[in-house]
Amino acid sequence: MTEKILILDFGSQYTQLIARAVREANVYCEIIPYHKSFSIDNSLKGIILSGSPFSVNEDKAPTVDIPSFIKQLPVLGVCYGAQLTAKEFGGRVDKSNKREYGRAKLEKIKEDILLTDVYNNSQVWMSHSDSIVSLPDGFEILATTESIPVAAFKQSTVLGKSSTDFPLYGLQFHPEVYHSTEGKKIIKNFLVNICGCSQNWTPASFVHETVAQLKKQIGDAQVIMALSGGVDSTVAATLISKAIGKNLHGIFVDNGVLRKDEFEQVLETYKQLDLNVTGIDSKELFYKELAGHSDPETKRKIIGKLFIDVFQQEAQKVAGVKFLGQGTIYPDVIESVSVHGPSQTIKSHHNVGGLPDTMHLDLVEPLRSLFKDEVRKVGLELGIPVDMIQRHPFPGPGLAIRILGDITKEKVAMLQEADHIYINGLKESGLYEKVWQAGTILLPVKSVGVMGDERTYEFTVALRAVTSVDGMTADWAHLPYEFLANISNEIINNVRGINRVVYDISSKPPATIEWE
C-alpha cells in the first residue's frame, strides 16, 4: 500500500507547490478541499494544512477539527494553517501592522527535528496579513523573524500535551516556495523525521503499481484511445499497453494542421514502442471543412467535431471496446476551494471532448495522479525517447490557431516549413530545453520587401518563445539576437511566401501564449 500525505486546501495559490515539494521527496500526496470528508487508514502518514486568502478571524473562516487529527496523525499547518492551529487551541491571531509579504530571515530559537540541518538566518518567504500574537498554553516557539514573534512553533512535549497526541507543528512562512531556501528541507524533515515516511514513491514504483492496477481494472476488455503525439497521451498509452498489450487500440488522426512530418515521425515512434496504433490521414476532410473560416473559436469547434466523427468511425471497427483511455493529469482533476465560500470548483478536462458521453465507455486514466514533470519522469522510466518526452506543449487545434485568418493547404505548408526551421534551430543551438514553449505564427498581413532586384509583397511570421513552470504565467524568452537574426534569414531565404519575421516580446499576463 502506497504511503500518503493529505494536503487540506484552504484556497491558497501555493497549495500545488506544497504537493510538488512533498512528491519531490518521493512521498505520494493528494490535495482535497478542507471541507471534504476523508478516511484515515494505515497508508495515511500525516496531514498538511495549506495557506488561504481568508483571515482566521472572519465569521465564516474555514476550519477543520485539528484536535481530532492529532489523535491519529502528525499535522503541519502552513501560514493560514498555522494561524488556525494557534487560534483553535486558544492562542491569539491579530491583524499585522502591515501586510508581511516577501523575504525574511528565520532565526532558530530552539533546535527541533523539524528544523534539522536548517541553517540559522536562512531566507523564508512571507505572505500574510495576520500574525500569531500569542501561542496557546502547551505550545512553544521554534523560530522567529525580525518582524514577527512566531515564525515556527510546535505543541510542546512538556507543557500540557496529551501523551496520546501526535506531533503538531505550525509555520507562519511558506516553505514550499522557491524563495524559502531551506523550505523543502523543512518539509522533508516533517515527512521523514516526524511522519516516518519511507520515501519509496518513485517513477519505477509508480509504473509497477499502475500496470498491476490496470491489469485488474481492464482484464480482457478492449481499450480505445486517441493519441496526439504529445507527452501525456503517449505515456498513458504506454502504461496501458504494458498492462494489456494489443488490447489497446490507439488512433492517431492527421488533421492537416500538425507540425512538419509529425504524422509519420510519431507513428514511427509508436511502432518502436510496440504500441498498437492506427494512423488516419484525414487532412483533406479537415481542409474542406475549415475552408473560409477565420474565427478562432469556429476553427476550434470544426476541428473538435471532425475529430470526434473520425475517431468514432474508427472506434466502431474495433469489437468489444469497454474502456476509453485518456491522458488526464492531476492539475486537471484537483478540486479547488472557491475564495468566496465553501463551494468548490472542479476543473473538468477530457483529452477527447465529448467522447465519454457519446460512446458510453468507462474511463482509464493512468496519469490522473501525476503532475506534468512527474509524467515526464515516468515516460523516461518506460523507455520513451527523450525527444518525445521533452516536447513542448502543442495546442489541440494545432497550426489552425497559429494561422491567423482562414486555413488553406498552402498556408499550412508555409507555416510548417517556417516553424520547422525555428524549432530545429532552437534544438541545434541548445535553446530548446531552456524554453517552455515555442512556435511560429502566420499573420494575416502582407508587407513590402525586396529580394534580388524584385519587389515582393508577402506574409509575415511571428516567432514566439516563453519560459514558464506550468503555463499559467509565462515570460517571453530572451533568445540571443544572433540566433534570432539567423533564424529570420533562414526562414526568409528558404520559405517562399514569407518576407518578414518578427519576435513576440509579450508576457502572460497580459498576453496569452498562443495568439488565438
Side-chain angles (χ1 to χ4, degrees):
M1 183 178 292
T2 302
E3 295 176 344
K4 180 170 67 178
I5 293 291
L6 203 59
I7 300 169
L8 302 191
D9 180 24
F10 292 97
S12 170
Q13 61 179 322
Y14 299 135
T15 301
Q16 287 195 29
L17 294 182
I18 299 176
R20 286 176 177 272
V22 172
R23 292 185 176 195
E24 283 177 19
N26 294 332
V27 176
Y28 180 66
C29 66
E30 292 179 1
I31 299 170
I32 66 169
Y34 71 91
H35 50 75
K36 186 172 182 178
S37 61
F38 61 91
S39 58
I40 295 177
D41 57 32
N42 292 335
S43 69
L44 190 57
K45 308 295 285 185
I47 294 174
I48 298 177
L49 311 176
S50 84
S52 176
F54 294 97
S55 165
V56 295
N57 295 318
E58 291 178 24
D59 290 338
K60 295 184 178 179
T63 62
V64 292
D65 190 357
I66 302 171
S68 74
F69 293 165
I70 60 172
K71 296 294 182 189
Q72 304 171 80
L73 295 163
V75 174
L76 172 65
V78 174
C79 200
Y80 179 90
Q83 295 168 358
L84 179 63
T85 299
K87 184 178 180 184
E88 288 292 295
F89 283 84
R92 190 167 138 234
V93 179
D94 282 342
K95 275 282 182 201
S96 306
N97 292 330
K98 62 177 182 177
R99 176 174 169 82
E100 289 159 333
Y101 183 86
R103 297 171 178 84
K105 295 295 183 182
L106 189 71
E107 181 183 351
K108 294 199 288 185
I109 301 299
K110 182 176 181 179
E111 290 297 332
D112 187 88
I113 55 174
L114 183 69
L115 302 178
T116 298
D117 296 330
V118 173
Y119 297 117
N120 200 30
N121 290 314
S122 67
Q123 177 180 286
V124 295
W125 185 260
M126 297 289 181
S127 179
H128 60 99
S129 54
D130 290 348
S131 289
I132 300 167
V133 177
S134 62
L135 284 173
D137 292 339
F139 285 69
E140 57 185 323
I141 298 175
L142 299 178
T144 185
T145 70
E146 185 177 347
S147 59
I148 61 171
V150 183
F153 65 86
K154 74 173 181 177
Q155 189 177 32
S156 174
T157 56
V158 179
L159 300 173
K161 183 177 186 290
S162 167
S163 61
T164 60
D165 286 354
F166 282 81
L168 173 60
Y169 286 87
L171 302 172
Q172 179 60 81
F173 56 92
H174 286 275
E176 69 273 21
V177 304
Y178 171 78
H179 301 293
S180 291
T181 54
E182 300 275 278
K184 290 182 180 178
K185 190 179 291 183
I186 295 172
I187 291 174
K188 183 179 177 182
N189 285 339
F190 176 72
L191 300 172
V192 179
N193 298 342
I194 296 165
C195 297
C197 295
S198 58
Q199 297 181 275
N200 59 3
W201 194 69
T202 63
S205 69
F206 176 84
V207 169
H208 178 76
E209 291 177 14
T210 301
V211 169
Q213 290 167 1
L214 288 169
K215 287 180 179 177
K216 185 176 179 181
Q217 178 187 4
I218 299 168
D220 295 328
Q222 307 292 309
V223 178
I224 196 86
M225 184 172 184
L227 298 177
S228 65
V231 176
D232 299 341
S233 67
T234 300
V235 174
T238 306
L239 279 167
I240 296 171
S241 179
K242 276 194 170 294
I244 64 171
K246 301 301 181 183
N247 283 2
L248 170 68
H249 304 268
I251 296 173
F252 181 39
V253 178
D254 186 350
N255 57 16
V257 284
L258 301 174
R259 287 165 283 204
K260 182 183 178 182
D261 299 329
E262 184 172 21
F263 185 61
E264 294 78 14
Q265 290 170 0
V266 169
L267 282 177
E268 180 57 32
T269 300
Y270 288 157
K271 184 178 179 181
Q272 293 172 14
L273 292 170
D274 198 29
L275 295 180
N276 180 24
V277 179
T278 302
I280 309 298
D281 183 352
S282 298
K283 292 194 293 288
E284 296 303 325
L285 173 63
F286 280 83
Y287 290 149
K288 179 182 177 182
E289 294 298 320
L290 285 167
H293 293 285
S294 298
D295 177 68
E297 191 58 28
T298 301
K299 289 190 286 188
R300 287 177 186 271
K301 288 179 178 177
I302 289 171
I303 290 172
K305 181 182 181 303
L306 276 182
F307 178 83
I308 291 173
D309 290 345
V310 173
F311 183 87
Q312 286 184 304
Q313 184 177 349
E314 291 302 315
Q316 288 171 1
K317 299 176 183 178
V318 182
V321 174
K322 293 184 179 179
F323 293 93
L324 174 71
Q326 290 198 150
T328 310
I329 63 174
Y330 197 40
D332 301 319
V333 298
I334 292 175
E335 299 173 56
S336 58
V337 178
S338 168
V339 174
H340 304 292
S343 63
Q344 64 196 50
T345 303
I346 301 175
K347 181 184 176 185
S348 62
H349 171 86
H350 292 295
N351 287 347
V352 190
L355 287 177
D357 292 335
T358 56
M359 299 183 71
H360 308 292
L361 300 174
D362 292 329
L363 289 179
V364 176
E365 299 171 304
L367 305 180
R368 63 181 289 114
S369 66
L370 299 186
F371 288 105
K372 188 77 171 187
D373 55 332
E374 295 168 334
V375 173
R376 289 194 167 100
K377 290 175 184 176
V378 168
L380 292 173
E381 180 69 29
L382 289 165
I384 297 172
V386 174
D387 58 346
M388 178 168 274
I389 290 299
Q390 300 299 340
R391 290 179 78 188
H392 290 173
F394 188 65
L399 298 180
I401 59 167
R402 291 184 179 175
I403 296 173
L404 276 57
D406 65 321
I407 308 296
T408 66
K409 285 168 55 174
E410 292 73 24
K411 286 183 180 178
V412 171
M414 195 188 309
L415 182 56
Q416 284 177 331
E417 288 296 332
D419 189 66
H420 180 69
I421 290 169
Y422 179 35
I423 298 301
N424 269 12
L426 287 170
K427 291 177 178 177
E428 290 169 2
S429 302
L431 296 168
Y432 186 81
E433 291 185 8
K434 297 178 181 179
V435 171
W436 192 77
Q437 185 171 348
T440 311
I441 298 93
L442 182 66
L443 305 185
V445 292
K446 290 185 175 182
S447 66
V448 175
V450 177
M451 291 187 179
D453 294 326
E454 294 183 6
R455 175 182 180 276
T456 62
Y457 188 61
E458 295 179 338
F459 284 101
T460 300
V461 292
L463 306 181
R464 181 76 159 135
V466 298
T467 56
S468 180
V469 173
D470 54 14
M472 299 301 291
T473 60
D475 192 16
W476 61 277
H478 295 231
L479 298 179
Y481 292 155
E482 186 178 357
F483 168 80
L484 291 172
N486 290 339
I487 294 300
S488 174
N489 287 338
E490 195 170 345
I491 289 174
I492 291 170
N493 289 337
N494 290 282
V495 185
R496 185 176 296 275
I498 296 173
N499 70 354
R500 192 176 298 270
V501 176
V502 299
Y503 187 57
D504 182 349
I505 59 170
S506 310
S507 294
K508 176 187 179 182
T512 54
I513 296 176
E514 298 292 344
W515 281 40
E516 287 192 340

